[in-house]
């Protein structure tokens, strides 16, 4: 029997949390930096509690205009302060409902940059350590941040159900054709080998080693709900438990 955590980035103003949360085992809640607000955070935490979903913070560049998907030209001091404030915001809201913050997963351009930039990776790790060393950090496979954090924090290695990869394990840029996978049948073909064979097929059809603990479906992918429903059916058919 295989198992996988199933997560999604939520609280980003899409408004589909009530539909998505029952299908998840963990969620990453926008902290007001790239998206979200206090009301959405509180409501999403309530839904997470009702559905026994692990609560995570999803900080990004404080850039709502670009949804945190462009690298922001700010100092490392400003960036660290913003990330820390964002995480603490979700942590505090969770604790008001007698819940612990389970994990942190950074968003968008910050996530992608931390995959390859050692200074940004270390900045994020240090912020999480300052808040609570028991918080799990969700990181991409074969990334700089995974390597830097492996001796310092609890890690959960992440793969993407609805995104294609380049041959260097980075995500295909969203501006390029085929970057986002919308077809639910293609999603299953994409993820089953990740879990059962620890293999990734890149956008160039190259097979690479791949070991993950959690699988993400972006909450703003237009077919997110259909993908999650099909994943529940398809994973069960392949004897993969969602946990």
């Amino acid at each position: 029997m295989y198992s996988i955590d199933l997560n999604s980035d939520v609280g980003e103003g899409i408004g589909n949390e009530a539909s998505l949360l029952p299908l998840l085992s963990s969620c990453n809640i926008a902290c007001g930096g790239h998206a979200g607000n206090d009301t959405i955070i509180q409501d999403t935490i309530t839904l997470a509690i009702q559905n026994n979903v692990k609560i995570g913070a999803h900080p990004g560049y404080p850039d709502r205009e670009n949804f945190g998907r462009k690298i922001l030209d700010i100092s490392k001091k400003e960036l660290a302060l913003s990330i820390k404030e964002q995480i603490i915001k979700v942590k505090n809201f969770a604790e008001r409902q007698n819940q612990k913050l389970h994990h942190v997963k950074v968003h968008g351009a910050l996530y992608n940059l931390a995959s390859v930039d050692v200074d940004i990776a270390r900045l994020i790790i240090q912020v999480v350590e300052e808040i609570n060393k028991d918080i799990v950090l969700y990181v991409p496979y074969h990334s700089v941040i995974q390597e830097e954090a492996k001796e310092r924090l609890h890690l959960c290695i992440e793969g993407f159900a609805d995104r294609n990869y380049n041959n260097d394990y980075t995500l295909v840029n969203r501006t390029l054709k085929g970057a986002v996978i919308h077809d639910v049948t293609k999603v299953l073909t994409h993820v089953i080998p990740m879990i059962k064979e620890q293999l990734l097929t890149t956008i160039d059809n190259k097979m690479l080693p791949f070991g993950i603990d959690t699988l993400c479906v972006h909450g703003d992918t237009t077919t997110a709900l259909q993908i999650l429903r099909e994943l529940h059916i398809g994973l069960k058919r392949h004897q993969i438990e969602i946990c």
Side-chain angles (χ1 to χ4, degrees):
M1 192 73 179
Y2 300 85
S3 64
I4 195 76
D5 175 59
L6 195 55
N7 82 76
S8 186
D9 306 334
V10 293
E12 296 178 319
I14 310 300
N16 55 1
E17 286 78 19
S19 299
L20 299 186
L21 266 292
L23 300 169
L24 303 175
S25 50
S26 66
C27 68
N28 324 305
I29 304 173
C31 312
H34 70 283
N37 58 46
D38 290 3
T39 300
I40 294 173
I41 292 169
Q42 291 179 84
D43 291 347
T44 307
I45 289 171
T46 300
L47 284 168
I49 295 167
Q50 291 170 354
N51 290 282
N52 197 30
V53 173
K54 296 183 286 290
I55 296 165
H58 192 46
Y61 279 114
D63 180 18
R64 300 174 78 89
E65 182 181 353
N66 296 300
F67 199 66
R69 286 187 172 150
K70 289 187 178 180
I71 295 173
L72 204 59
D73 185 18
I74 60 173
S75 70
K76 287 187 171 63
K77 185 177 180 180
E78 280 182 280
L79 179 58
L81 181 60
S82 176
I83 295 169
K84 191 169 188 177
E85 288 175 343
Q86 290 181 57
I87 296 169
I88 288 173
K89 180 190 285 283
V90 176
K91 179 177 178 288
N92 287 345
F93 276 123
E95 289 172 355
R96 287 176 196 173
Q97 298 196 51
N98 300 312
Q99 302 296 309
K100 285 186 177 180
L101 182 68
H102 174 263
H103 66 274
V104 167
K105 173 190 165 183
V106 295
H107 167 79
L110 192 58
Y111 183 97
N112 294 333
L113 190 58
S115 299
V116 296
D117 187 303
V118 68
D119 290 333
I120 294 296
R122 288 173 179 171
L123 182 151
I124 292 164
I125 293 162
Q126 184 174 341
V127 168
V128 175
E129 284 180 327
E130 288 172 1
I131 296 169
N132 187 336
K133 289 185 178 181
D134 290 331
I135 293 173
V136 178
L137 185 62
Y138 281 31
V139 296
Y141 177 79
H142 203 266
S143 62
V144 167
I145 192 167
Q146 177 189 357
E147 185 64 24
E148 289 294 319
K150 66 182 182 182
E151 303 295 335
R152 297 170 63 178
L153 292 168
H154 305 291
L155 299 184
C156 188
I157 312 304
E158 182 176 49
F160 288 91
D162 56 356
R163 294 295 307 277
N164 268 313
Y165 286 80
N166 296 306
N167 294 344
D168 62 356
Y169 291 103
T170 59
L171 296 173
V172 175
N173 190 293
R174 282 179 175 270
T175 62
L176 300 177
K177 184 179 179 182
V180 181
I181 306 170
H182 296 279
D183 187 324
V184 293
T185 56
K186 288 183 180 178
V187 167
L188 280 171
T189 304
H190 184 56
V191 304
I192 298 300
M194 289 183 186
I195 302 165
K196 297 187 76 171
E197 300 167 50
Q198 296 188 314
L199 288 173
L200 168 71
T201 302
T202 71
I203 196 161
D204 296 324
N205 286 316
K206 185 176 180 179
M207 300 288 284
L208 299 173
F210 202 65
I212 58 170
D213 308 303
T214 187
L215 197 59
C216 176
V217 176
H218 287 91
D220 67 328
T221 297
T222 53
T223 51
L225 181 57
Q226 294 94 318
I227 288 172
L228 284 167
R229 285 172 174 165
E230 286 299 317
L231 277 174
H232 271 255
I233 296 168
L235 293 175
K236 185 176 181 180
R237 189 167 63 241
H238 283 270
Q239 290 81 49
I240 301 169
E241 180 185 10
I242 298 169
C243 62

